[in-house]
Amino acid sequence: MLRQIEPTEEIPKRLEKDVINEFPLVRFRGKVHIAEDNISRFKLVQDLKNEDVLGFDIECKPNFKKGPNNPPALLQLSTFDQAYLFRLHPILKLGPLIDIIENPNIVKTGVALKDDLSNLQKIESFTPNGFEDIAKFAQQLKIEQTGLRNLTAIFFKQRLSKSAQLSNWEKQPLSHSQINYAATDAWISRQLYMTMKSRIEQTTQ
């Protein structure tokens, strides 16, 4: 259960690392769906077409040597209580996911979206629509830290784990910690978007 910041509570502009490290870990507790192929991918995309807001993220296998980055291996989308993980390796096709990516009526929200979308363009060409970077919301609220981990601490007083960030996202199958990490990142992006959007609307009334 997330502790929501109170409407009248002052938002910290920044939090020091040692303060954040004292917060309890946050974890997605809903149902996780994993699409391994085009058939399961198509089915899960149908489940998402009527959603208004989705948390969004991608994961790439880290490259520890000089050279081009690896293409995205996983794309994550999340509703309020369900996370959808789409394996992009070794298929390297977006297929029906383009219907979500190009839909202007479905908000897709996360951080560093420009980089994520640029990476996805390496797999397949598309015209992105409906993307909202929560870093811009943070700037509107005059918050100095715009990373996902910092914003989670600022608004929910909980700590986002980054332990699986540099793991092998092309691994078959994904580990439990990878699944939890990927689902949580997409879900917390949506939670932050909803919370920050509400706060901005309050300040403009």
Side-chain angles (χ1 to χ4, degrees):
M1 186 73 178
L2 281 175
R3 175 203 175 278
Q4 300 284 341
I5 193 169
E6 296 295 333
T8 56
E9 190 175 345
E10 186 177 352
I11 305 170
K13 303 304 179 189
R14 63 183 298 111
L15 290 174
E16 297 302 323
K17 189 175 182 179
D18 58 343
V19 173
I20 295 175
N21 287 338
E22 293 299 318
F23 290 152
L25 282 172
V26 62
R27 177 183 173 186
F28 176 67
R29 302 284 182 180
K31 186 172 183 179
V32 179
H33 309 267
I34 302 177
E36 300 278 359
D37 52 38
N38 277 329
I39 295 174
S40 56
R41 191 180 294 182
F42 181 83
K43 180 181 181 301
L44 294 184
V45 164
Q46 300 311 303
D47 294 343
L48 294 170
K49 283 190 172 180
N50 293 323
E51 294 292 331
D52 296 322
V53 180
L54 294 170
F56 170 92
D57 197 15
I58 67 168
E59 304 297 342
C60 304
K61 178 183 178 180
N63 185 0
F64 298 108
K65 299 179 180 179
K66 288 185 178 180
N69 293 329
N70 291 309
L74 190 73
L75 185 151
Q76 307 104 270
L77 297 169
S78 179
T79 68
F80 171 72
D81 60 355
Q82 298 191 65
Y84 296 75
L85 311 184
F86 297 88
R87 302 294 305 259
L88 300 179
H89 179 87
I91 301 171
L92 292 181
K93 291 284 185 181
L94 296 176
L97 283 166
I98 290 180
D99 293 342
I100 301 293
I101 293 170
E102 295 189 334
N103 190 333
N105 298 316
I106 303 175
V107 172
K108 282 78 63 178
T109 186
V111 294
L113 293 180
K114 184 178 179 180
D115 292 339
D116 285 352
L117 294 174
S118 177
N119 280 331
L120 282 176
Q121 293 275 10
K122 296 174 183 176
I123 292 179
E124 202 166 338
S125 178
F126 57 82
T127 303
N129 281 298
F131 283 87
E132 294 277 3
D133 198 316
I134 57 177
K136 294 180 180 179
F137 284 42
Q139 291 166 0
Q140 283 183 255
L141 292 167
K142 303 188 185 312
I143 298 171
E144 297 172 7
Q145 297 168 315
T146 58
L148 201 60
R149 190 173 191 265
N150 290 317
L151 291 173
T152 299
I154 287 169
F155 281 94
F156 304 132
K157 290 185 169 57
Q158 295 193 60
R159 176 167 50 94
L160 199 62
S161 172
K162 289 296 179 181
S163 61
Q165 184 177 29
L166 296 179
S167 60
N168 180 8
W169 292 100
E170 295 178 4
K171 178 183 175 182
Q172 294 277 3
L174 293 173
S175 68
H176 178 75
S177 63
Q178 285 179 309
I179 291 169
N180 177 58
Y181 173 94
T184 300
D185 268 18
W187 168 73
I188 207 70
S189 293
R190 185 185 185 279
Q191 296 298 103
L192 282 166
Y193 169 83
M194 302 300 288
T195 299
M196 296 167 75
K197 184 171 181 286
S198 175
R199 191 64 178 246
I200 290 171
E201 289 170 351
Q202 290 169 10
T203 61
T204 56
Q205 287 178 354

